[in-house]
């Protein structure tokens, strides 16, 4: 629907509210000196995909800084959603913007998800129904396979929880990374490991639902990843096709950077 130059032009011209100070400023403000710009357009800030993506970015934050990559993200929600998201994930509030009505997502032509409109249901109620159907794999390719991978483990993926790290994912008791060695060993994504992190995210969001999701009408909207060089040339893009489909390689969602960003770039 959109060519690469139009994606950059749209993003370069877009202003949204920045979470750190509440100011409405251009999305790409402050990116001028960066070697690359990684622009993330996320679904709801309370969505599995947004929280998991932010977790991966924090895990690889040092690498991104070393490579001179400026990271900006826009998520669906309001400033309170953004503040809660940053408090939980550690994602920098100065790099996060909010879009309350998913207008940018539509302008970029990102997948809106299942949009059935059963008679008698309000927009938020219809969105819930559509979301549940997508969680069951309807109009959301790859979702069930990815959920299963969270339980069965993945030897192609890195170990996610350090041996001494403690994960609290209610209603489970606190678990250390070593506990997962019992079911699969170490040095790769063990069975149940990813599912535990997802349970922790789900517990967080459900505990603060109205903050994370002030308007349920946009629950099904999916996001996208865009990597540009400093001239605005598109180096990579991924448009999400379903829930838990925020990366081309879910075993290592940031793998695309290895192919397109030199490690010694400053």
């Amino acid at each position: 629907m959109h060519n690469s130059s139009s994606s950059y032009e749209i993003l370069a011209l877009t202003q949204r509210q920045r979470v750190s100070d509440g100011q409405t400023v251009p999305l790409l403000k402050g990116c001028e000196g960066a070697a690359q710009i990684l622009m993330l357009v996320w679904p709801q800030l309370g969505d599995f995909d947004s929280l998991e993506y932010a977790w991966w970015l924090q895990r690889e934050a040092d690498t991104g800084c070393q490579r001179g990559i400026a990271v900006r993200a826009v998520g669906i929600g309001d400033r309170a959603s953004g503040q809660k998201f940053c408090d939980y994930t550690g994602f920098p509030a100065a790099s996060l913007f909010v879009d309350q009505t998913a207008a940018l997502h539509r302008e970029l032509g990102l997948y809106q998800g299942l949009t059935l409109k059963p008679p008698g249901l309000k927009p938020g109620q219809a969105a819930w129904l559509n979301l549940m159907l997508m969680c069951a794999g309807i109009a959301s390719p790859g979702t069930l396979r990815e959920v299963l991978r969270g339980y069965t483990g993945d030897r192609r993926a890195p170990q996610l929880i350090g041996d001494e790290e403690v994960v609290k994912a209610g209603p489970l008791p606190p678990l250390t990374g070593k506990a997962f060695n019992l079911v699969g060993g170490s040095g790769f994504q063990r069975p149940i490991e990813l599912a535990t992190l997802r349970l922790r995210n789900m517990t967080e969001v459900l505990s603060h639902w109205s903050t994370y999701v002030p308007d349920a009408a946009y629950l099904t909207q999916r996001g996208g990843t865009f990597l540009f060089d400093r001239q605005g040339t598109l180096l990579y893009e991924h448009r999400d096709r379903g829930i838990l489909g925020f990366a081309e390689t879910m075993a290592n969602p940031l793998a695309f950077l290895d192919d397109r960003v030199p490690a010694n770039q400053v």
Side-chain angles (χ1 to χ4, degrees):
M1 182 182 294
H2 293 277
N3 61 42
S4 59
S5 61
S6 73
S7 296
Y8 183 80
E9 287 161 9
I10 289 167
L11 293 165
L13 292 171
T14 297
Q15 299 191 13
R16 288 293 182 274
Q17 187 181 36
R18 185 166 53 196
V19 172
S20 57
D21 56 9
Q23 298 296 309
T24 298
V25 296
L27 295 180
L28 303 185
K29 184 179 176 66
C31 295
E32 297 80 13
Q36 262 99 18
I37 301 168
L38 178 58
M39 188 72 227
L40 309 167
V41 184
W42 282 336
Q44 287 281 351
L45 289 173
D47 192 285
F48 269 135
D49 295 32
S50 307
L51 292 160
E52 201 166 307
Y53 210 142
W55 183 89
W56 278 100
L57 285 164
Q58 291 309 97
R59 177 187 171 103
E60 304 291 338
D62 291 345
T63 308
C65 291
Q66 290 161 7
R67 292 174 172 181
I69 305 170
V71 179
R72 295 290 183 272
V74 184
I76 304 171
D78 56 20
R79 191 180 174 207
S81 313
Q83 289 170 324
K84 193 74 180 163
F85 181 91
C86 292
D87 288 345
Y88 175 66
T89 63
F91 189 81
S95 300
L96 180 63
F97 297 76
V98 288
D99 186 325
Q100 298 195 38
T101 61
L104 176 61
H105 302 65
R106 290 191 294 278
E107 199 173 352
L108 288 167
L110 296 173
Y111 180 42
Q112 292 185 36
L114 196 60
T115 53
L116 301 177
K117 295 175 181 173
L121 291 188
K122 296 175 182 174
Q125 295 170 323
W128 261 112
L129 174 63
N130 287 318
L131 183 72
M132 293 300 103
L133 293 171
M134 288 178 71
C135 287
I138 297 169
S140 187
T143 297
L144 293 180
R145 183 177 66 245
E146 180 55 26
V147 170
L148 185 64
R149 191 179 71 87
Y151 288 98
T152 58
D154 185 348
R155 287 186 172 272
R156 300 165 303 151
Q159 181 172 324
L160 304 180
I161 303 169
D163 285 350
E164 305 306 323
E165 186 180 347
V166 178
V167 176
K168 296 176 182 174
L172 297 177
L175 295 168
T176 65
K178 282 181 180 172
F180 296 94
N181 295 351
L182 301 174
V183 290
S186 63
F188 59 91
Q189 182 193 307
R190 287 77 59 86
I192 314 298
E193 191 176 18
L194 181 54
T196 301
L197 293 176
R198 288 173 175 165
L199 175 61
R200 179 173 68 178
N201 290 343
M202 186 170 71
T203 302
E204 163 70 12
V205 171
L206 292 179
S207 302
H208 308 283
W209 178 258
S210 59
T211 304
Y212 276 106
V213 185
D215 186 346
Y218 308 102
L219 282 175
T220 59
Q221 176 68 57
R222 297 296 93 199
T225 296
F226 304 87
L227 180 69
F228 302 99
D229 68 14
R230 64 177 54 174
Q231 284 79 38
T233 303
L234 184 70
L235 304 176
Y236 176 82
E237 78 169 20
H238 174 79
R239 293 168 177 266
D240 307 355
R241 297 184 305 128
I243 294 168
L244 292 178
F246 62 82
E248 190 177 344
T249 309
M250 287 297 291
N252 187 358
L254 299 177
F256 67 92
L257 292 175
D258 294 334
D259 300 330
R260 293 166 182 86
V261 183
N264 60 357
Q265 173 179 276
V266 179

